[in-house]
């Protein structure tokens, strides 16, 4: 994950040193004005400099992610150049340790966010200058295309410049490894080893002095190969004919690639949300470009009502996530977005059925993050497959042994692990279209499939309580309070087991590495998991119940939600 670490230079001195090496005219002007005002005694400017230079965005297993702007605690060309040079040094070191003569190959992709193209080109030039073979994807593309390209090109590593569904002023830097890692995102200890190289570059070299070189531009054949592979996920059955549906790219990069796949696979093109279909890093129609956020899909629902659509699909801005919505007379506006768990369980059911049809049994497996619905384990058992619960993030899910399908409740799905070892909102959309089309052949809808799942496997419902903070120390205090005084009950139901995954005590799961996660198992089979977000200043509590009916599950979830909110409020006090 990205975060902040202490920086030793005084902010004003650090700012002057930063200014001297910054190649970006915009951030240079921004920083020069702050330095001038701070030197003149402006307290606000001095405080701003302290925020920008009193810490440094730390490189972790989610790479880098932060707000755009000048300074070591922001995303900018200096920070990205240091990251690229440090990552290059890591790859050269690894190649040397392996006795490999050929230079490592790195493929670089970028989305439509502000400065994504600039950060990507800088990285490609710096990788080439460090002696690596650098291949830049030819235009802005979805994150899954980059993840695919790492494997398809046999690259040693990949970099995707994106902040996914973060606010408009953010950007980020995701890192993948090839070879034995099969194009998955990095995990420990690679993150710490890369971070050490980045810190060394930042301490010893000026960005202006880092060598740059000529990079290659990837051929369109790479994108064509992704399109062809993804079209095979679910070629359109007869039931796709006449399908009336709505799609939004959420101002992101998904539609060009998805529409090519739809044509090849034989699906009718959707009615698109015109205001959101083209890439736009300003995200003008949404306050927060995340389909999970309230209001983010309002334009999709308005378009669906006008079109009389059967369902809505939405990708987030870099198209690695998928949101799904269906008509629901009980919902405000007549449309309801499915939870990530609902969609994940449907896609997991589809994957398990296909695995069974192919004669696969354990060790073939389904996997999900430990905060995702326990219903997937029930599906796996029903079809004789293994099940793995991992830490949050596809860097972990993608590494589950025997993986057939993986998901996490935050709208992430991995449906084709043979080609992409990361969440992929484009291939997930194709898989879901196939599922809906097959149901249409029998006169059924997506809502009918949800009902059938519940009857077959149980009435699972999930919820989430999220606390966003300005001061992240509040989150640490809440976690410490819960550890110091574990609750005896939540929502009137006794807590049977309190598991601290950070300490690895005897009640904690042995399936995952130590993590800042608390898992509480209740007497009625319900579950509450509390953890800090890995990418945002949030504390999250994940709630899961299983009822005897839909109404029973809803009642259990409502009581658990109220109890979890009271628990967090008490710990915060």
């Amino acid at each position: 994950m990205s975060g902040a670490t202490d920086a030793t230079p005084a902010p004003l001195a650090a700012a002057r040193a930063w200014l001297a090496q910054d190649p970006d005219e915009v951030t240079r002007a921004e920083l020069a004005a702050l330095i001038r005002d701070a030197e003149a005694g402006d307290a606000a400017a001095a405080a701003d400099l302290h925020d920008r230079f009193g810490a440094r965005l730390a490189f972790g297993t989610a790479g880098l992610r932060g707000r755009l702007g000048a300074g070591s605690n922001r995303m900018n060309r200096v920070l990205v150049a240091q990251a690229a040079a440090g990552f290059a040094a890591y790859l050269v070191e690894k190649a040397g340790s392996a006795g490999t003569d050929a230079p490592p190959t790195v493929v670089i992709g970028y989305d439509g966010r502000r400065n994504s193209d600039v950060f990507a080109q800088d990285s490609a030039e710096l990788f080439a200058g460090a002696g690596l073979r650098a291949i830049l994807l030819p235009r802005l593309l979805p994150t899954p295309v980059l993840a695919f390209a790492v494997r398809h090109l046999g690259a040693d590593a990949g970099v995707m410049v994106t902040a996914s569904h973060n606010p408009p002023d953010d950007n980020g830097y995701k890192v993948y490894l090839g070879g034995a890692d099969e194009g998955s995102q990095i995990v420990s200890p690679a993150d710490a080893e890369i971070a050490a190289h980045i810190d060394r570059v930042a301490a010893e070299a000026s960005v202006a002095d880092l060598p740059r070189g000529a990079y290659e531009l990837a051929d369109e054949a790479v994108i064509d190969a992704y399109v062809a592979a993804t079209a095979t996920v679910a070629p359109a059955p007869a039931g796709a004919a006449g399908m009336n549906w709505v799609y939004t790219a959420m101002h992101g990069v998904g539609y060009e690639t998805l529409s090519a796949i739809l044509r090849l696979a034989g699906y009718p093109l959707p009615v698109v949300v015109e205001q959101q279909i083209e890439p736009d890093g300003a995200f003008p129609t949404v306050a927060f470009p995340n389909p999970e956020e309230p209001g983010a899909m309002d334009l999709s629902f308005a378009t669906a009502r006008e079109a009389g659509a059967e369902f809505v699909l939405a990708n987030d801005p870099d198209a690695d996530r998928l949101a799904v919505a269906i008509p629901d007379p009980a919902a405000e506006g007549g449309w309801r977005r499915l939870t990530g768990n609902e969609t994940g369980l449907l896609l997991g059911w589809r994957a398990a059925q296909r695995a069974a049809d192919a004669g696969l049994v354990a060790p073939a497996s389904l996997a999900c993050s430990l905060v995702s619905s326990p219903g997937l384990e029930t599906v796996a058992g029903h079809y004789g497959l293994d099940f793995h619960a991992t830490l949050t993030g596809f860097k972990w899910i993608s590494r589950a042994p025997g993986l057939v399908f993986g998901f996490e409740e935050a709208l992430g799905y991995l449906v084709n692990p043979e080609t992409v070892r990361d969440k992929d909102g484009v291939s997930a959309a194709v898989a879901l279209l196939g599922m809906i089309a097959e149901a249409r052949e029998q006169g059924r809808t997506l809502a009918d499939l949800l009902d059938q799942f519940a009857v077959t496997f149980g009435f699972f419902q999930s919820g989430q309580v999220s606390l966003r903070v300005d001061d992240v120390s509040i989150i640490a205090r809440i976690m410490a309070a819960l550890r110091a005084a574990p609750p005896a009950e939540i929502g009137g139901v006794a807590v049977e087991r309190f598991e601290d995954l950070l300490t690895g005590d005897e009640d904690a799961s042995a399936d995952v590495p130590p993590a800042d996660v608390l898992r509480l198992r209740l007497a009625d089979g319900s579950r509450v998991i509390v953890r800090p977000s890995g990418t945002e200043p949030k504390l999250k509590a994940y709630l899961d119940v299983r009822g005897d009916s839909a109404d029973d599950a809803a009642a259990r979830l409502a009581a658990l939600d109220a109890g979890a909110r009271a628990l967090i409020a008490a710990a915060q006090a």
Side-chain angles (χ1 to χ4, degrees), residues 342-421:
E342 287 176 308
T343 302
L345 292 178
L346 286 179
L347 289 173
W349 183 20
R350 172 188 181 273
Q353 287 176 318
R354 280 158 174 72
D357 291 344
L360 297 179
V361 294
S365 72
L366 306 181
C368 64
S369 62
L370 57 84
V371 298
S372 300
S373 174
L376 191 67
E377 184 172 10
T378 301
V379 174
H382 181 86
Y383 287 96
L385 301 173
D386 270 353
F387 170 76
H388 301 283
T390 74
L391 289 180
T392 302
F394 277 82
K395 56 185 173 285
W396 301 110
I397 296 169
S398 66
R399 288 176 164 82
L403 185 66
V404 171
F405 167 81
F407 92 96
E408 65 180 9
E409 50 72 41
L411 308 184
Y413 317 99
L414 196 166
V415 303
N416 55 342
E418 67 279 2
T419 54
V420 176
R421 286 276 169 171

Side-chain angles (χ1 to χ4, degrees), residues 11 188 205 214 216 219 261 311 322 438 544:
S188 183
E216 302 173 32
D219 192 273
I261 295 165
F311 59 93
L322 175 73
E438 290 171 358
D544 287 286

Side-chain angles (χ1 to χ4, degrees), residues 373-559:
S373 174
L376 191 67
E377 184 172 10
T378 301
V379 174
H382 181 86
Y383 287 96
L385 301 173
D386 270 353
F387 170 76
H388 301 283
T390 74
L391 289 180
T392 302
F394 277 82
K395 56 185 173 285
W396 301 110
I397 296 169
S398 66
R399 288 176 164 82
L403 185 66
V404 171
F405 167 81
F407 92 96
E408 65 180 9
E409 50 72 41
L411 308 184
Y413 317 99
L414 196 166
V415 303
N416 55 342
E418 67 279 2
T419 54
V420 176
R421 286 276 169 171
D422 195 15
K423 58 182 174 291
D424 183 347
V426 179
S427 61
V430 175
L432 196 70
L433 287 171
M435 205 170 184
I436 294 170
E438 290 171 358
R440 289 175 93 246
E441 292 176 350
Q442 303 165 10
R444 298 190 299 159
T445 66
L446 193 52
D448 295 328
L449 293 181
L450 289 168
D451 291 341
Q452 184 183 349
F453 180 95
V455 170
T456 305
F457 300 105
F459 294 87
F460 293 92
Q461 287 199 24
S462 302
Q464 187 179 126
V465 176
S466 182
L467 174 68
R468 182 180 287 273
V469 299
D470 294 325
D471 180 1
V472 293
S473 68
I474 294 172
I475 294 174
R477 289 202 300 271
I478 294 173
M479 295 295 287
L482 292 175
R483 287 186 167 98
E489 57 86 24
I490 302 176
V493 181
V495 174
E496 285 194 337
R497 292 175 61 189
F498 178 87
E499 303 170 352
D500 186 349
L501 274 64
L502 187 60
T503 61
D505 62 35
E506 62 181 13
D507 287 330
S509 171
D511 297 333
V512 297
D516 191 10
V517 177
L518 301 175
R519 182 164 52 194
L520 298 90
R521 301 185 186 275
L522 278 60
D524 66 350
S526 301
R527 184 184 74 180
V528 176
I529 296 177
V530 185
R531 62 177 281 269
S533 169
T535 57
E536 300 175 87
K538 286 183 177 180
L539 180 77
K540 295 183 175 182
Y542 302 83
L543 319 176
D544 287 286
V545 302
R546 183 178 185 177
D548 298 325
S549 66
D551 289 343
D552 178 49
R556 289 172 185 261
L557 184 60

